[in-house]
Amino acid sequence: DQQVKQNSPSLSVQEGRISILNCDYTNSMFDYFLWYKKYPAEGPTFLISISSIKDKNEDGRFTVFLNKSAKHLSLHIVPSQPGDSAVYFCAANRHNQGGKLIFGQGTELSVKP
Amino acid sequence: KAGVTQTPRYLIKTRGQQVTLSCSPISGHRSVSWYQQTPGQGLQFLFEYFSETQRNKGNFPGRFSGRQFSNSRSEMNVSTLELGDSALYLCASSWVAGENTGELFFGEGSRLTVL
């Protein structure tokens, strides 16, 4: 049962343009949603999160939008830079589940100069 | 501040053997979680330890086990290795468990190959 899904395995964007990564979930009990970024041969690093009581959270070039009715969230990167090229994982968590994150399959973003 | 440290980084085992992986969390972090990453299944939660107690467990067979020591360091063990256990095993730490928002700090992982 895939509770968190990232349906696009890859995305290619031109430098300076917007990158939009999407994520769908099925469990309405999730309290937090997070995005992690992973470079090859490194562990994932936390990027940005959003609580289920909000619909938007912004941090610099990164904005996460949450649509609870559609059980959908997206990560916007504006402007995209070549250093953003990595695999992006969407994850979800319940507040009483601590370090138990449910991850999507990941989307590999390639930002071309 | 040192990050999460995992050892060994790479190892090769044969079917039927057992393996122990080690994780040292960030200083002051008391929660340690383990994840398995494979190309087909993505990142899957194995278990979480807090104050030497297992708090959460994923859907893995009993061959996968773990423990946490009083200094918060953690080990995971896989017995009777199978080919399908070949994966990147990631350890992550955080300040506390229970009310965590999910922000975890990951190590670089231990790459296990089972032949």
Side-chain angles (χ1 to χ4, degrees), chain B residues 32-83:
Chain B
V32 174
S33 301
W34 288 89
Y35 288 81
Q36 180 195 65
Q37 185 183 14
T38 58
Q41 299 296 321
L43 275 150
Q44 292 192 293
F45 174 78
L46 280 156
F47 27 65
E48 177 191 16
Y49 287 87
F50 178 76
S51 292
E52 303 177 64
T53 301
Q54 187 180 89
R55 288 186 60 98
N56 286 296
K57 189 177 189 303
N59 297 324
F60 280 82
R63 299 185 297 107
F64 292 81
S65 63
R67 59 178 176 168
Q68 187 180 35
F69 302 96
S70 58
N71 62 359
S72 293
R73 192 177 70 84
S74 177
E75 288 181 348
M76 67 162 283
N77 182 278
V78 188
S79 62
T80 319
L81 284 166
E82 301 176 359
L83 294 178

Side-chain angles (χ1 to χ4, degrees), chain A residues 19 21 35 48 50 55-65 74-78:
Chain A
S19 294
L21 295 95
W35 287 93
I48 192 170
I50 187 167
D55 53 21
K56 178 182 175 181
N57 188 26
E58 193 171 353
D59 183 3
R61 297 185 298 114
F62 303 92
T63 303
V64 57
F65 294 92
S74 59
L75 174 69
H76 292 210
I77 306 174
V78 184

Side-chain angles (χ1 to χ4, degrees), chain A residues 2 32-34 36 38 41-46 49 89 93-105, chain B residues 9 31 33 35 37 39-43 45 48 56-57 88 90 97-104 106-108:
Chain A
Q2 193 73 25
Y32 293 97
F33 301 89
L34 309 95
Y36 280 80
K38 187 179 186 300
E42 294 184 11
T45 55
F46 170 76
S49 65
F89 290 95
N93 172 265
R94 295 182 61 178
H95 77 279
N96 61 350
Q97 293 283 291
K100 182 179 180 179
L101 298 182
I102 309 299
F103 281 89
Q105 297 288 82
Chain B
R9 290 292 312 280
S31 171
S33 301
Y35 288 81
Q37 185 183 14
Q41 299 296 321
L43 275 150
F45 174 78
E48 177 191 16
N56 286 296
K57 189 177 189 303
L88 179 68
L90 291 159
E99 293 299 323
N100 198 309
T101 60
E103 182 177 349
L104 305 180
F106 282 87
E108 294 181 320

